[in-house]
Amino acid sequence: AQKITQTQPGMFVQEKEAVTLDCTYDTSDQSYGLFWYKQPSSGEMIFLIYQGSYDEQNATEGRYSLNFQKARKSANLVISASQLGDSAMYFCAMREGPDSGAGSYQLTFGKGTKLSVIP
Amino acid sequence: EAQVTQNPRYLITVTGKKLTVTCSQNMNHEYMSWYRQDPGLGLRQIYYSMNVEVTDKGDVPEGYKVSRKEKRNFPLILESPSPNQTSLYFCASSSKGVELNTEAFFGQGTRLTVV
């Protein structure tokens, strides 16, 4: 079973509107971390936001917020007031705790969502 | 400036010709890893290293080797490249600790084509 599922291969959003990118995860760990990365067409991976499994508040970073629903195992990224520069691939990733047996601090990535912002 | 540096950025090579992609970080991070990115598959971990002289396989290690002789460097070696290793490769580093919120810093990527 996939550990990270991003069900939207591609999405379009009008400039200045908000958009939600979906991410569901699968883990039996109690302690884990969830990340979102942005990959523009230039190729680099840019860290956006982090949510810990024990964090009671949803994470926010500027225009980015994470809608964390632990019982549903979802960690959706919300981008408010979309800008043309937000057009990129977005990856959701998870790092499980040492108890998972991985012990590797590995980031497990979803397949990504390509977001296109329309003027 | 904190960074992870990969070289080369672009490489076209022929099947069977050994190559090395270098990776260096200046943040004194213990943990380094290599990923490959393929369309529709996201990023998959190839190898990782918890510290000097400590390396282990990730999810897709076949056809690759790594070494960690110094803390800052973590080269990826393809002894006999094949066309199915054509991909975008990323090196990443992060500080090891009990906290999960350690951000991974990525290199700029190396686009490898094996013909």
Side-chain angles (χ1 to χ4, degrees), chain A residues 31-33 35 37 39 42-45 47 50 53 91 95-98 102-107 109-112, chain B residues 9 31 35 37 40-43 45 48 50 58-59 88 90 94 96-104 106-108:
Chain A
S31 179
Y32 51 89
F35 300 76
Y37 286 85
Q39 185 181 43
S42 51
E44 70 266 33
M45 294 291 286
F47 166 74
Y50 167 83
S53 58
F91 291 97
R95 176 180 284 136
E96 295 171 288
S104 67
Y105 300 88
Q106 176 187 92
L107 279 169
F109 285 84
K111 295 181 179 181
Chain B
R9 293 288 310 278
Y31 182 75
Y35 294 86
Q37 182 182 2
L41 296 178
L43 280 78
Q45 193 183 56
Y48 66 93
M50 302 284 275
D59 295 324
L88 177 61
F90 285 100
S94 57
K96 187 184 72 171
V98 297
E99 300 298 324
L100 291 168
N101 65 343
T102 304
E103 176 191 340
F106 284 83
Q108 293 291 89

